[in-house]
Amino acid sequence: MVSYLARRMSRPRVVAIVLALAAILVVSLLPTWRAEAATPAATPAGTAAGLIPTLPGRVLLLGRITPHLQQLSVADLAAKYPQHTQTVTFQSGAGPQTHTYTGPTLYDVLQAAKPTFRSDVKNDALRYAAVIHASDGYESVLSWGEIDPGFAGTEALLAVTQDGVSLAKEGPRLTAPGDTKGGRYVSGVTAVTLVRAGL
Ligand SMILES: Nc1nc2c(c(=O)[nH]1)N[C@H]1C(S)=C(S)[C@@H](COP(=O)(O)O)O[C@H]1N2
Ligand SMILES: [Mo]
């Protein structure tokens, strides 16, 4: 077509038409490109969705542990740590819910991951917190003082079963016994980051 046009029109005119068509194409695609740049795929605003890689059937342990990146399968969680059973009730948008969970304590899992607590800083562990990340970008925090048996000693579990049903497919669920509302019962856990919140 271009050669047909070239035979009928002067060369500068063909060049001008091609450039004009290219400009129209770029201008018409610009809003799409800009929208894609502003909203990376499936990242709800204000969440870590997309920032933390999701390994199906695995939980990543990250942050102030030794080494800094570790991974566990749900089978590891069910076999390598002492298992606890707890029946808990929490308030949710769908009314109060009561469930029975089994799994290791978050405390045992993090202790085995060797936190980088400093022995030369008084109660360094009390400056630490675990961030629980879920597959949908939901996150919640438990401080070390909440889960350490020497302090509040909340038996937060990384539950691998709920009401007798395996959570291997959707990922473990954090429990927060003692909480009234269900907000910290994080489901579909993909990662736990141990952070040092002290300055
Ligand atoms: N991953 C994830 N876990 C979550 C939530 C969420 O949005 N995403 N919502 C929380 C809230 S606010 C409540 S009340 C409970 C509800 O539990 P259910 O999803 O089993 O009904 O889950 C909690 N865990
Ligand atoms: Mo909730």
Side-chain angles (χ1 to χ4, degrees):
M1 168 158 110
V2 173
S3 63
Y4 166 77
L5 285 173
R7 261 182 273 125
R8 297 190 43 137
M9 289 184 219
S10 68
R11 204 182 156 84
R13 254 186 109 175
V14 172
V15 170
I17 288 169
V18 169
L19 282 179
L21 287 173
I24 289 167
L25 186 73
V26 167
V27 168
S28 65
L29 284 176
L30 256 182
T32 321
W33 289 337
R34 287 172 66 147
E36 274 171 13
T39 47
T43 302
T47 81
L51 287 182
I52 303 220
T54 299
L55 303 181
R58 307 212 152 227
V59 174
L60 285 172
L61 302 179
L62 308 163
R64 299 252 183 175
I65 51 176
T66 321
H68 294 303
L69 198 162
Q70 302 174 33
Q71 56 163 307
L72 296 170
S73 66
V74 177
D76 290 335
L77 288 171
K80 295 192 174 166
Y81 310 86
Q83 300 293 299
H84 299 252
T85 301
Q86 63 188 210
T87 298
V88 286
T89 299
F90 58 79
Q91 308 295 329
S92 77
Q97 298 191 34
T98 299
H99 298 287
T100 299
Y101 293 99
T102 68
T105 62
L106 177 64
Y107 176 80
D108 283 345
V109 171
L110 287 174
Q111 279 289 34
K114 300 202 204 83
T116 59
F117 300 142
R118 287 176 59 154
S119 51
D120 58 339
V121 173
K122 185 173 182 181
N123 272 332
D124 194 37
L126 300 184
R127 292 165 163 84
Y128 279 64
V131 188
I132 317 300
H133 313 273
S135 52
D136 59 353
Y138 193 83
E139 291 171 310
S140 157
V141 166
L142 279 169
S143 70
W144 192 267
E146 282 179 283
I147 60 174
D148 187 326
F151 295 90
T154 304
E155 261 206 3
L157 304 183
L158 275 175
V160 292
T161 72
Q162 174 177 287
D163 304 325
V165 179
S166 168
L167 296 173
K169 204 159 176 200
E170 66 167 290
R173 183 163 200 178
L174 183 78
T175 72
D179 279 17
T180 299
K181 297 214 264 182
R184 293 204 291 182
Y185 284 79
V186 181
S187 52
V189 173
T190 54
V192 176
T193 305
L194 190 65
V195 297
R196 188 178 187 276
L199 299 180

